[in-house]
Amino acid sequence: MLATAKGYYNGSQIVLDSPVNIQKGQEVIITYTIIQPVVEKNSQDSIVDSLVGAIPNTGKSLSEYRSERLQKYASIN
């Protein structure tokens, strides 16, 4: 039988959010996933700020970039 239960680690043991029926002597296999904490807004802002300037500003408009790409990758057919 395969069962899934969600829980958390309280520093000394795993606490399950829902009751699980395990009989004495029953073998169990435990797998777990480490879920990273949600990135705070300030961290997201600093990540975005670190990317600004990574692509040089050549002063071209979006339509100029688009026409460049169309010419560069246009089909020969």
Side-chain angles (χ1 to χ4, degrees), residues 5 29-33:
I29 297 172
I30 299 172
T31 60
Y32 61 92
T33 301

Side-chain angles (χ1 to χ4, degrees), residues 40-55:
E40 295 179 19
K41 180 66 174 154
N42 294 339
S43 297
Q44 289 176 349
D45 289 342
S46 66
I47 291 169
V48 170
D49 289 342
S50 73
L51 296 174
V52 173
I55 301 173

Side-chain angles (χ1 to χ4, degrees), residues 65-77:
Y65 282 119
R66 182 178 184 276
S67 64
E68 252 183 32
R69 293 291 161 220
L70 288 174
Q71 290 173 6
K72 184 174 181 177
Y73 298 110
S75 163
I76 298 174
N77 298 333

Side-chain angles (χ1 to χ4, degrees), residues 1 14 38 59:
M1 178 175 81
I14 296 173
V38 176

Side-chain angles (χ1 to χ4, degrees), residues 1-72:
M1 178 175 81
L2 180 63
T4 303
K6 185 175 183 246
Y8 62 94
Y9 179 67
N10 70 4
S12 61
Q13 61 186 356
I14 296 173
V15 179
L16 301 177
D17 290 339
S18 58
V20 178
N21 296 323
I22 300 175
Q23 298 174 4
K24 184 176 180 179
Q26 184 176 7
E27 280 189 330
V28 296
I29 297 172
I30 299 172
T31 60
Y32 61 92
T33 301
I34 298 173
I35 300 173
Q36 299 296 328
V38 176
V39 177
E40 295 179 19
K41 180 66 174 154
N42 294 339
S43 297
Q44 289 176 349
D45 289 342
S46 66
I47 291 169
V48 170
D49 289 342
S50 73
L51 296 174
V52 173
I55 301 173
N57 182 3
T58 60
K60 295 180 184 177
S61 68
L62 291 177
S63 60
E64 290 172 312
Y65 282 119
R66 182 178 184 276
S67 64
E68 252 183 32
R69 293 291 161 220
L70 288 174
Q71 290 173 6
K72 184 174 181 177

